[in-house]
Amino acid sequence: MAKLSLGVLISGRGSNLQALIAACASPGYPARVVQVISDQPDASGLAHAVRAGIAARTLVRGDFSSRSAFEAAIDATLRDAGVELVCLAGFMRVLSADFVAGWRDRLINVHPSLLPAFKGLDTHARVLAAGARFSGATVHFVRAEVDAGPILVQCTVPVADDDTAETLAARVLRGEHRCYPLAVRLIAEGRVAVAGERVHIAGATSPSDVVINPTED
Ligand code: GRF
């Protein structure tokens, strides 16, 4: 079966991009990254694309006269590369409703919380301030509202008493690196159906037990 062609949009370090590249290198993985776009010329994540021999392009908002011209360049780059699914991976710009509509149900994002809780920035500090016992990561279809859209895959991680935003972020990031390749694989295998706000995944199994944090001993 033909592999699903991915476009990945980044702004920074690109560890989720690297997780996708690594997954795509596994035999039998049903997707491949064909285009990476950064809106930051110095994004260290671009090196992951270069190392893997993937087309990488930097498109800087300030080089365009308007947001719509900037987004048109992103859109044209993705379409020229034959991208079928766009993956936002630490892309630090809010895409317009028009762009989102043009890629409806073919545009996904990873967010470092258990959405719909803790949308937005400074997630981990807010999770700690709220005293939550769990956090996690979410891969979801993108809608015009920031950090909203039908949820594909989530994982939970425990919050420890001595966590800082940095230690919690690192734990959540390991979860992101597992969730994102799984979500892409489920889409690529044709197992995903969006029904309103819910995503149905054919043949998926779910954990069936209660998880408690802290444990008794
Ligand atoms: C991740 O935590 C992602 O959830 C958030 O930005 C971070 C990007 O990290 N949207 P990386 O660039 O993929 O390493």
Side-chain angles (χ1 to χ4, degrees), residues 100 104-110 115-116 119 138-145 147-154 183 187 192-201:
V100 170
R104 188 178 173 87
D105 295 345
R106 296 185 302 138
L107 174 61
I108 62 176
N109 180 47
V110 62
L115 290 176
K119 297 176 179 181
T138 302
V139 180
H140 63 99
F141 285 107
V142 174
R143 296 291 183 258
E145 187 198 330
D147 296 331
I151 291 170
L152 275 152
V153 174
Q154 291 185 306
I187 293 172
V192 169
V194 182
E197 284 308 302
R198 296 193 68 180
V199 173
H200 298 293
I201 299 171

Side-chain angles (χ1 to χ4, degrees), residues 114 152-156 178 182 201 203-211:
L114 286 171
L152 275 152
V153 174
Q154 291 185 306
C155 68
T156 62
R178 294 172 63 182
L182 172 60
I201 299 171
T205 53
S206 305
S208 56
D209 229 333
V210 173
V211 181

Side-chain angles (χ1 to χ4, degrees), residues 34-212:
V34 298
Q35 180 73 54
V36 172
I37 299 175
S38 171
D39 70 327
Q40 301 292 328
D42 56 356
S44 56
L46 284 166
H48 296 307
V50 171
R51 201 178 315 117
I54 297 164
R57 188 162 181 203
T58 300
L59 294 167
V60 178
R61 167 67 183 88
D63 292 343
F64 295 86
S65 56
S66 65
R67 182 195 196 193
S68 64
F70 169 64
E71 291 188 348
I74 294 175
D75 186 74
T77 302
L78 294 169
R79 291 184 195 280
D80 289 350
V83 168
E84 297 166 289
L85 177 70
V86 181
C87 303
L88 304 182
F91 186 66
M92 297 304 289
R93 283 187 177 275
V94 177
L95 293 161
S96 70
D98 278 352
F99 184 95
V100 170
W103 289 91
R104 188 178 173 87
D105 295 345
R106 296 185 302 138
L107 174 61
I108 62 176
N109 180 47
V110 62
H111 182 77
S113 78
L114 286 171
L115 290 176
F118 301 106
K119 297 176 179 181
L121 300 175
D122 296 326
T123 319
H124 308 294
R126 288 187 291 121
V127 166
L128 292 175
R133 293 292 184 184
F134 286 98
S135 189
T138 302
V139 180
H140 63 99
F141 285 107
V142 174
R143 296 291 183 258
E145 187 198 330
V146 175
D147 296 331
I151 291 170
L152 275 152
V153 174
Q154 291 185 306
C155 68
T156 62
V157 303
V159 177
D161 272 356
D162 60 354
D163 264 333
T164 63
E166 290 70 31
T167 58
L168 180 57
R171 193 176 307 120
V172 171
L173 192 64
R174 288 197 293 279
E176 295 181 47
H177 296 165
R178 294 172 63 182
C179 287
Y180 220 170
L182 172 60
V184 167
R185 183 162 65 77
L186 293 170
I187 293 172
E189 289 175 348
R191 295 166 60 184
V192 169
V194 182
E197 284 308 302
R198 296 193 68 180
V199 173
H200 298 293
I201 299 171
T205 53
S206 305
S208 56
D209 229 333
V210 173
V211 181
I212 296 178

